[in-house]
Amino acid sequence: MEKKTVRGSFSGQFGFIMAAAASAVGLGNIWRFPYLAAKDGGGIFLLVYLILALTFGFTLLTTEISIGRKTGQSPLTAYKAIHPKWGGIGILACLVPTIILPYYCSIGGWVLKYLSLYITGSGTDAAADGYFSGYISGNIEPMVWMLVYFAITAFVVFCGVEKGIEKFSKILMPILVIMIVGISIYSITLKHTDENGAVRTGLQGLRIYLVPDFTDMTLKKFLIIIMDAMGQLFFSISVAMGIMVTYGSYAKKETNLMESVNRIEIFDTLIALIAGMMIVPSVFTFSGKEGMSGGPGLVFVSLPKVFSAMGTAGKFIGLAFFIVLSFAAVTSSVSVMEAIVSSIMDKFGLSRKKSALIVAVYTIIAAVIVCMGYNMLYFEITLPNGTVAQILDIFDYISNYIMMPLVAFLTSILIGWIVKPQIIIDEVTQGKHKFGRKTLYIVMIKFVVPILLLLLLLQSVGLIKF
């Protein structure tokens, strides 16, 4: 009882679901999902993503949450508790959020900066050519906004599990959903005539987003879509970064894990789909297909131009959008920081405040270096996957393209072949709860998931190309 009181726990199943869903709904869902959907043939990507979410994603999510609740520990120590010789997975799983948090906070600072522009009525400034690159290459302002963003994240984590993370998630998630749905409906109603006289509408953009485009579809392109959708799932359900193991450790034994996993899956997938409906139709209406650029380019370059083209309405839509993005970013960074803090607490027996302070000092130093990567420390290198990168991109590549697939691959081998799937099945069915898709889970964790992850890992390091 003493250990559980020190670590904290969610008040119940609803609190656990809201916190887990809040973690999953982050920047990756808002900007990465719509970009990939537009790039990979609209409805084809959505169909592949849905299938993988119900199989691949379901397997990893169930596994990590079960490991957390069974051991009652965070990733750094949980894997060793599952098997003494496989504790190294926990070290890797803890390193992932440690690498992610600094650059995520830097990007979070960009979001708050843009939010401040729309709050003060200066949103049109963000639509100017070169504004984004000019801002992130500044010496001081990006660091200031990064610190503001991190202060919000750290405050929630300092407050603890129930009074901080759970309470924060229960308040923000309903607001976020309402705003995303509202913007999506408005996005579909848009209509625009460009300088060449061509008329584009939000409904046309929605059709591009939802209807499969099999034009020039080849096996190579289809494999790329599968890899893209699988990579997106890591972001969408927050697996392979220690978060779901940590949150699972806070779930009470009476929590119905399968019911929780199903609801997290549904909630997150719907948010991802609606986020696409919020962005793709509006960008297509005002910028055409060429306006869909990936990552920061979509959110910080393309969308401000779209909001500016909307006129007066764009000021309010832009404000609402960056409020949504701010909420989504903070809920995710809170979970990333919590995975590190919880690991330190479990491994070294330190209090939450001391652990959070250690993480705060490290994060600020590393995030400042990331910010400086666009000015004083700027350089360019080519990564094994062919991407030209600087500091933030290197952090992103190591954590998301190398370590996350590796953690998930090793976890699937551990559960599928070393300790066997029954260890997860027993945890899920504790309290006589049913394990829907049990046969599917066994086949996925033993065979399909390891093979897919190995392919993804080999692609990420440039050993195979599709």
Side-chain angles (χ1 to χ4, degrees):
M1 285 299 295
E2 183 181 349
K3 183 177 181 182
K4 189 170 183 179
T5 301
V6 172
R7 296 187 83 252
S9 65
F10 294 120
S11 62
Q13 185 165 320
F14 178 72
F16 167 58
I17 292 172
M18 281 294 98
S23 167
V25 180
L27 293 176
N29 265 14
I30 304 295
W31 78 29
R32 199 170 186 267
F33 187 93
Y35 154 67
L36 289 175
K39 179 178 82 74
D40 289 338
I44 299 176
F45 175 83
L46 298 185
L47 180 61
V48 171
Y49 178 86
L50 286 172
I51 293 172
L52 285 175
L54 295 172
T55 54
F56 177 84
F58 153 76
T59 302
L60 293 179
L61 189 60
T62 302
T63 300
E64 294 200 1
I65 289 175
S66 298
I67 288 174
R69 195 180 74 167
K70 179 176 179 60
T71 62
Q73 298 179 47
S74 49
L76 188 57
T77 52
Y79 284 92
K80 189 173 184 179
I82 293 293
H83 194 292
K85 294 183 179 180
W86 285 70
I89 302 177
I91 297 174
L92 291 174
C94 188
L95 283 174
V96 173
T98 303
I99 296 172
I100 289 175
L101 187 58
Y103 78 77
Y104 202 99
C105 287
S106 299
I107 297 173
W110 303 348
V111 175
L112 291 188
K113 166 61 178 179
Y114 273 63
L115 175 60
S116 72
L117 290 176
Y118 284 91
I119 288 176
T120 58
S122 304
T124 52
D125 293 346
D129 291 336
Y131 182 87
F132 176 63
S133 58
Y135 167 69
I136 63 173
S137 61
N139 291 323
I140 302 299
E141 195 175 6
M143 295 184 191
V144 172
W145 282 109
M146 176 275 293
L147 290 172
V148 173
Y149 178 87
F150 179 66
I152 298 171
T153 299
F155 173 76
V156 177
V157 174
F158 264 92
C159 289
V161 179
E162 186 176 345
K163 294 182 179 179
I165 299 169
E166 181 178 339
K167 184 177 180 180
F168 184 73
S169 301
K170 282 181 176 179
I171 294 172
L172 286 193
M173 287 310 293
I175 298 173
L176 188 148
V177 171
I178 291 170
M179 295 186 74
I180 287 180
V181 171
I183 298 174
S184 299
I185 293 172
Y186 178 79
S187 180
I188 296 170
T189 67
L190 294 171
K191 185 177 181 180
H192 174 70
T193 303
D194 65 18
E195 57 186 15
N196 297 319
V199 178
R200 291 188 296 267
T201 67
L203 283 175
Q204 291 174 332
L206 181 64
R207 191 176 300 115
I208 290 174
Y209 177 57
L210 296 178
V211 178
D213 181 7
F214 292 99
T215 305
D216 299 323
M217 179 57 64
T218 62
L219 178 60
K220 177 181 177 180
K221 286 184 178 180
F222 187 67
L223 289 173
I224 290 173
I225 292 172
I226 292 175
M227 292 298 109
D228 283 348
M230 188 161 52
Q232 174 61 29
L233 273 167
F234 286 111
F235 297 96
S236 290
I237 57 177
S238 293
V239 292
M241 55 184 85
I243 293 170
M244 288 304 166
V245 175
T246 302
Y247 279 14
S249 74
Y250 297 145
K252 294 182 176 180
K253 288 296 184 182
E254 57 266 29
T255 297
N256 186 328
L257 289 190
M258 190 46 50
E259 189 177 273
S260 299
V261 167
N262 291 340
R263 290 180 180 178
I264 293 167
E265 271 187 303
I266 293 170
F267 192 90
D268 175 72
T269 302
L270 282 176
I271 291 296
L273 291 173
I274 297 172
M277 290 173 61
M278 175 177 66
I279 293 174
V280 175
S282 59
V283 173
F284 173 79
T285 300
F286 290 97
S287 304
K289 282 188 175 182
E290 59 274 13
M292 299 299 301
S293 60
L298 173 61
V299 173
F300 300 108
V301 178
S302 299
L303 279 174
K305 292 182 182 297
V306 168
F307 298 143
S308 178
M310 289 180 184
T312 303
K315 297 178 181 178
F316 298 100
I317 298 299
L319 174 61
F321 173 80
F322 280 103
I323 290 175
V324 166
L325 197 61
S326 299
F327 285 1
V330 172
T331 55
S332 288
S333 59
V334 163
S335 65
V336 172
M337 183 175 180
E338 178 63 22
I340 312 169
V341 170
S342 181
S343 292
I344 293 175
M345 291 168 64
D346 288 344
K347 179 67 176 178
F348 302 104
L350 297 179
S351 68
R352 170 170 292 276
K353 289 185 178 179
K354 287 182 180 178
S355 301
L357 184 60
I358 291 171
V359 176
V361 172
Y362 153 75
T363 302
I364 290 172
I365 293 172
V368 165
I369 293 173
V370 171
C371 291
M372 292 171 66
Y374 290 99
N375 44 72
M376 289 180 280
L377 299 180
Y378 183 82
F379 62 87
E380 290 184 356
I381 65 169
T382 301
L383 298 174
N385 62 358
T387 304
V388 178
Q390 36 64 46
I391 293 176
L392 188 149
D393 297 318
I394 293 171
F395 275 37
D396 178 69
Y397 176 74
I398 293 173
S399 60
N400 298 339
Y401 292 89
I402 305 297
M403 295 186 69
M404 285 165 61
L406 181 60
V407 168
F409 174 73
L410 292 174
T411 299
S412 67
I413 298 299
L414 171 63
I415 300 301
W417 297 97
I418 307 301
V419 297
K420 304 300 172 61
Q422 193 62 41
I423 192 173
I424 301 299
I425 295 170
D426 289 343
E427 185 62 29
V428 172
T429 55
Q430 190 174 130
K432 297 183 179 179
H433 293 302
K434 293 182 179 180
F435 190 159
R437 294 179 279 176
K438 182 173 74 172
T439 302
L440 172 67
Y441 176 83
I442 295 172
V443 173
M444 291 297 297
I445 198 68
K446 288 176 69 72
F447 304 106
V448 182
V449 168
I451 293 172
L452 287 177
L453 286 170
L454 184 59
L455 289 173
L456 181 62
L457 190 58
L458 292 175
Q459 182 199 37
S460 297
V461 297
L463 291 179
I464 60 172
K465 294 182 179 180
F466 296 123

